[in-house]
Amino acid sequence: MSVSTVAADRSVCAPLPVLGRDVTVPLVTGGEVGYAALDYAASAPALQRVWDDVVAYAPYYGSVHRGAGYLSQLSTDLFENARRTVAEFLGCRADDQVVFTRSTTDSLNLLARALPADCRVFVFETEHHASLLPWREAQVTYLNAPRTPEQAVATLERALADRTVPIEGGHGPALVCVTGASNVTGELWPVRELAAAAHAHGARIVLDAAQLAPHHPVSVTDLDVDWVAFSGHKLYAPFGAGVLAGRADWLREAEPYLAGGGASRRVSRRTDGGVDVEWHDSAARHEAGSPNVIGAYSIASACKALTEAGFDSLVARERYLIGKVRAGLAEVPEVRVLSLFGDDAPRVGVISFVVEGWNSSHFAAALSAEYGIGVRDGLFCAHPLVRTLLGSDPQSQGECGAPEAAPGEKSLNAVRVSFGAGTPDEHVERFVTAVRELVRDGAKWRYRTEDGRCVPAV
C-alpha cells in the first residue's frame, strides 16, 4: 500500500464515538493518562449510538410477548424489529431464523444441542474454544492447523471425502464449524471456499463471526453458510446478547435448548399425572424465559450504526491502523508477530506477538501500569492454536509468570493488541511507542505474580 493510499484510507472516516473515550487511569509512575482500550477482540466498547438508543428506550422497558399493556406491546415490537434488523444486517435468506442468545458460545452450544442423530462435526484446532468445544458429545473430527487458506480448504475436502457412510444410500449429516477471522492472528479465513467444499460433500457449515462481524460485512447468502453466530459485546453492544441465525429445519426439529415459558405453545396435564407440551417452531422455541430485549435492541442499534457508517470506510481505516501497528512492531527486532497464513494475509485489527526476553504477562502488565494501555495476554481461549504458533520454546519468565502455566509447565503465552471502529490514531501510536521503549529501556517498575496475574509490586 502506497503512502498516498494510506493517507486516503485514513481520511475516509473518523473513529466512531464510543463510551470510555474520555476515561483517564492512574499510572504506577505517577499522574494519569487517557485510557487506550486496545482489547476490542475480548469486548469492544459500546458505541455512543448504542448507548443513546438504550437510554432513550429504558423508560419504556416492559415484558416481551407477555403483556397487554402499552410498554409490553412497545417492547415486543422493539424486540421483533431487532430480529428483522439483524436478519437484514446478516443478509439472511427469507426462511432463515434469527435466535437471540447470550453470546457466540451460547449460540454454538445451542446448535450443538440441535444436531441430528449421527451428525459428524469437523472443526479446525485453530478455533476459539467457543467453537472448538461445544461438539464433544457428537462425533468430532479435529483438523490440524493449516498454513495457507488453500491448505485449509484441501484439508477439509479430504476429511469430508474420507468420512464413513453410516446409513444406507449416502452420507449421514455433517457440520463444519469455522471462524471468519482468527481471534489470535486476526487473519481472514476462506469462508466462501470452505462453504463450497462443505456443500459439495453434503455437509452444512456454521460460521463463527464473533471477530469478523465487527470489522467486515457478513452475508449468510453471499458466503453461502448455513448458520452464523456472533456476540453483541464484540459488536459494540455489550448488553449480554448474541445471535444464531440460519436454517430453521434443525432448530425446529430439536428439543428446545431451554425448557420453559416462551418456548412452549401449549402445555396440558395428562390423565397419568404428567404433562404434554407443544413447542413453538419459530425462533421462540430456543428463547425460553424473559427475552433480553435491551441486549437484542443494542445489537440491532450497532448493526444500524455500522451499516450507516459504511463498511468500505470502516475497513479502509482499519487497514490503515493495522499497517501502522505492524510497521511499528516490525521495527523492533525482539518482537515476533504470530501468523498462520503469513505477513500478506488479509486480516482484521487483531495482532498477537511475543517479545524476546519478556514473559507476555509481564509485558502486558507494564503496558497497562506505565502507559495506560489495555491489551490481553495469555492463550486467548484458543490454547491449541497459540501453542502451535509458539512451538515448544518457552518464554523468559521475567518477573511474572504466565497465568495459564501450571507448575512445571513451560511458559507459553502471548500479547494481543486489538482495535476497531472506535480506535483513535493516538492509541495505536502510543502503543507502538510503548513497545519500543519497554524493549529498549525495560520496565520502570517492579512486578510480581498475584493470584495468577502479573501486577505492579507495592
Side-chain angles (χ1 to χ4, degrees):
M1 182 178 290
S2 67
V3 174
S4 60
T5 303
V6 167
D9 283 348
R10 182 182 180 184
S11 66
V12 289
C13 71
L16 297 184
V18 294
L19 294 185
R21 58 190 181 275
D22 299 323
V23 168
T24 61
V25 294
L27 300 179
V28 71
T29 50
E32 293 187 341
V33 68
Y35 184 64
L38 296 178
D39 194 16
Y40 276 47
S43 284
L47 286 173
Q48 185 68 53
R49 156 77 174 273
V50 170
W51 180 255
D52 291 344
D53 283 349
V54 168
V55 169
Y57 161 65
Y60 301 92
Y61 172 79
S63 62
V64 176
H65 300 150
R66 302 292 195 275
Y70 179 82
L71 297 191
S72 292
Q73 294 296 306
L74 178 68
S75 295
T76 298
D77 287 345
L78 201 78
F79 187 73
E80 293 304 332
N81 283 332
R83 200 189 304 276
R84 287 186 283 272
T85 296
V86 171
E88 182 178 352
F89 180 76
L90 293 175
C92 288
R93 298 163 289 249
D95 55 351
D96 283 342
Q97 284 187 354
V98 173
V99 181
F100 285 115
T101 65
R102 293 178 298 174
S103 60
T104 308
T105 302
D106 197 38
S107 295
L108 294 173
N109 275 272
L110 188 167
L111 185 60
R113 288 278 296 274
L115 296 180
D118 300 320
C119 186
R120 291 283 300 276
V121 178
F122 297 83
V123 57
F124 287 93
E125 67 172 349
T126 47
E127 293 291 310
H128 185 282
H129 294 171
S131 47
L132 185 72
L133 301 181
W135 325 103
R136 289 178 301 156
E137 295 184 8
Q139 305 174 63
V140 188
T141 298
Y142 295 104
L143 307 175
N144 293 334
R147 288 298 183 168
T148 65
E150 294 77 16
Q151 189 180 79
V153 177
T155 297
L156 178 62
E157 287 181 329
R158 283 195 301 272
L160 290 171
D162 291 345
R163 81 185 196 271
T164 57
V165 182
I167 59 174
E168 186 176 342
H171 293 296
L175 177 71
V176 177
C177 180
V178 67
T179 188
S182 170
N183 77 303
V184 176
T185 67
E187 293 163 315
L188 299 180
W189 276 63
V191 176
R192 187 177 288 104
E193 292 80 1
L194 290 167
H199 294 153
H201 290 277
R204 295 189 179 189
I205 185 168
V206 56
L207 170 64
D208 174 354
Q211 300 295 342
L212 183 63
H215 305 273
H216 282 259
V218 174
S219 171
V220 169
T221 302
D222 291 347
L223 294 173
D224 197 22
V225 295
D226 298 281
W227 292 276
V228 61
F230 71 88
S231 297
H233 73 100
K234 298 185 191 298
L235 195 78
Y236 312 100
F239 293 93
V243 168
L244 176 67
R247 300 199 182 278
D249 53 351
W250 286 8
L251 299 176
R252 200 165 42 228
E253 294 159 9
E255 285 292 303
Y257 182 45
L258 298 172
S264 56
R265 177 182 286 116
R266 182 181 297 106
V267 180
S268 58
R269 289 292 301 273
R270 297 197 305 263
T271 56
D272 64 3
V275 295
D276 287 322
V277 183
E278 179 184 349
W279 304 106
H280 282 294
D281 57 11
S282 65
R285 185 184 189 89
H286 299 289
E287 293 177 342
S290 295
N292 179 0
V293 59
I294 288 181
Y297 182 47
S298 68
I299 287 178
S301 174
C303 291
K304 290 178 181 178
L306 293 173
T307 300
E308 291 167 7
F311 270 107
D312 287 347
S313 295
L314 295 173
V315 169
R317 185 171 188 281
E318 187 170 306
R319 283 175 181 160
Y320 164 76
L321 295 178
I322 293 169
K324 199 174 188 67
V325 172
R326 287 177 60 83
L329 294 179
E331 293 176 354
V332 184
E334 294 83 356
V335 170
R336 177 165 72 93
V337 173
L338 306 183
S339 176
L340 268 177
F341 300 154
D343 289 343
D344 295 332
R347 63 195 72 227
V348 300
V350 179
I351 299 169
S352 296
F353 62 95
V354 292
V355 184
E356 182 181 343
W358 285 78
N359 181 276
S360 294
S361 300
H362 186 195
F363 200 83
L367 285 172
S368 175
E370 300 177 26
Y371 294 90
I373 298 171
V375 297
R376 175 83 183 272
D377 67 276
L379 299 175
F380 317 127
C381 293
H383 294 190
L385 171 57
V386 179
R387 292 180 185 281
T388 294
L389 294 173
L390 292 179
S392 59
D393 295 331
Q395 294 186 64
S396 173
Q397 281 289 341
E399 296 182 39
C400 295
E404 288 88 354
E409 184 181 61
K410 290 181 177 179
S411 175
L412 293 174
N413 62 333
V415 178
R416 183 182 70 190
V417 57
S418 53
F419 40 88
T423 305
D425 291 13
E426 187 274 330
H427 286 184
V428 299
E429 290 164 359
R430 193 198 317 169
F431 166 76
V432 170
T433 298
V435 170
R436 187 181 302 116
E437 290 181 358
L438 283 172
V439 172
R440 183 189 64 209
D441 305 328
K444 301 180 181 70
W445 206 261
R446 289 192 58 81
Y447 296 81
R448 60 185 175 85
T449 302
E450 180 179 294
D451 296 329
R453 297 298 310 170
C454 189
V455 298
V458 294

